[in-house]
Amino acid sequence: MTNTIYAQLLEAKKQRQKQFAVLIDPDKVSKRTVTSLVENALMAKVDLFLVGGSLIVKDRLAELIGQIKSLCNIPIVLFPGSISQVNEQADALLFLSLISGRNPDLLIGQQVLAAPMLKQMDLEVISTGYMLIDGGKPTTASYISHSLPIPHDKPPIAACTAMAGELLGMKLIYLDTGSGARQSVSVEMVHTVRKSIDIPLIVGGGIRSPQTATQICEAGADIIVVGTAIEEDTERMFALSKAIHALNEHSI
Ligand code: 1GP
């Protein structure tokens, strides 16, 4: 287990090292933009790439992963919106169950369909309790998932849901207001969830500024995920990464 992505996440958490993940939606990048994105990610010291999306229209996942792999060693973790977004070239896969919702297909249905394929693959599978939080407007994730997000101002609901995920044996909790959300998850919610669970906590959705990233890390997130803000301007990766990693200099 020592060389697995999950072991690395646990070790980083133990050392109180915050990690910065850039979300790449295969539909939103071209061969040319991926090259410059990866070059910037290497310079900015991005820790992880998350690859996936709630709705993918173009069939270029394999090509994208191959291209990233040829350019760098930054781990690629699949963040699949559906069973079609599974690829063995990646380093790991977040095996998501939408525990904030009550749509049985995304709680267990898609997972049943994917399980036999995943068992045969040489791909690290990380059981993840995925929680959609209201971020001020409907997102592709909330629409496609037919699920009601947890209200933004109800940290206790998020905390109880995360506790249930941990007790069910999930290895990660991912709090997400969805890609392009108007608001990120609140600092108070991150803090309340952090106090309720011991497993690593990923937070994403609507994070645009280094200040927000810092506050969410300080509230207890272990990994910050940013997609949209970087799609708009790749250079933002530098300030975000610097802010997140600056907290590590103060860690014990
Ligand atoms: C979405 O958490 C990710 O699932 C990233 O969201 O695109 O808003 O940064 P953004």
Side-chain angles (χ1 to χ4, degrees):
M1 152 117 174
T2 40
N3 288 325
T4 62
I5 297 291
Y6 188 63
Q8 290 168 30
L9 298 183
L10 283 181
E11 185 58 25
K13 180 175 184 297
K14 196 169 143 201
Q15 302 295 333
R16 300 193 200 175
Q17 301 286 313
K18 305 295 181 181
Q19 302 215 294
F20 178 36
V22 169
L23 174 66
I24 304 179
D25 180 333
D27 273 357
K28 295 190 181 152
V29 287
S30 65
K31 223 170 173 178
R32 188 179 52 78
T33 54
V34 169
T35 303
S36 66
L37 184 92
V38 170
E39 282 168 5
N40 281 339
L42 284 166
M43 283 191 282
K45 299 193 164 48
V46 166
D47 299 291
L48 297 169
F49 285 125
L50 254 56
V51 174
S54 301
L55 179 68
I56 289 190
V57 179
K58 300 176 199 158
D59 180 20
R60 55 179 308 266
L61 182 69
E63 183 195 338
L64 171 65
I65 296 173
Q67 191 188 354
I68 300 171
K69 287 254 154 212
S70 72
L71 295 168
C72 70
N73 289 323
I74 298 173
I76 300 173
V77 178
L78 294 173
F79 173 48
S82 74
I83 191 169
S84 65
Q85 295 174 40
V86 175
N87 187 286
E88 207 172 5
Q89 294 176 87
D91 297 291
L93 169 129
L94 299 184
F95 196 41
L96 305 165
S97 176
L98 183 61
I99 58 174
S100 58
R102 299 295 178 267
N103 175 350
D105 194 41
L106 296 182
L107 272 167
I108 186 64
Q110 290 292 314
Q111 296 79 352
V112 170
L113 297 178
M117 174 173 68
L118 292 172
K119 286 288 275 188
Q120 282 180 18
M121 283 185 167
D122 185 20
L123 177 64
E124 181 185 343
V125 173
I126 306 174
S127 169
T128 302
Y130 182 60
M131 296 168 51
L132 273 177
I133 313 299
D134 187 4
K137 64 169 188 179
T139 59
T140 309
S142 62
Y143 177 80
I144 294 285
S145 67
H146 292 273
S147 77
L148 193 62
I150 291 176
H152 194 264
D153 61 349
K154 300 290 181 201
I157 300 179
C160 295
T161 309
M163 282 191 262
E166 183 177 54
L167 289 170
L168 282 164
M170 289 165 179
K171 303 288 186 225
L172 287 176
I173 293 294
Y174 190 151
L175 294 181
D176 196 353
T177 50
S179 201
R182 205 168 273 152
Q183 292 179 276
S184 63
V185 177
S186 73
V187 165
E188 190 193 346
M189 185 178 281
V190 175
H191 184 65
T192 309
V193 170
R194 172 74 286 159
K195 281 190 306 178
S196 311
I197 56 167
D198 295 316
I199 52 179
L201 178 61
I202 308 181
V203 180
I207 300 174
R208 310 182 65 82
S209 72
Q211 291 80 359
T212 305
T214 300
Q215 287 168 357
I216 291 176
C217 280
E218 285 176 340
D222 300 296
I223 302 170
I224 295 286
V225 183
V226 180
T228 306
I230 290 168
E231 281 161 18
E232 291 167 0
D233 179 2
T234 317
E235 299 283 319
R236 285 196 180 130
M237 190 183 306
F238 290 93
L240 284 159
S241 186
K242 196 171 164 200
I244 293 163
H245 291 133
L247 297 166
N248 297 344
E249 288 161 19
H250 308 296
S251 61
I252 317 164

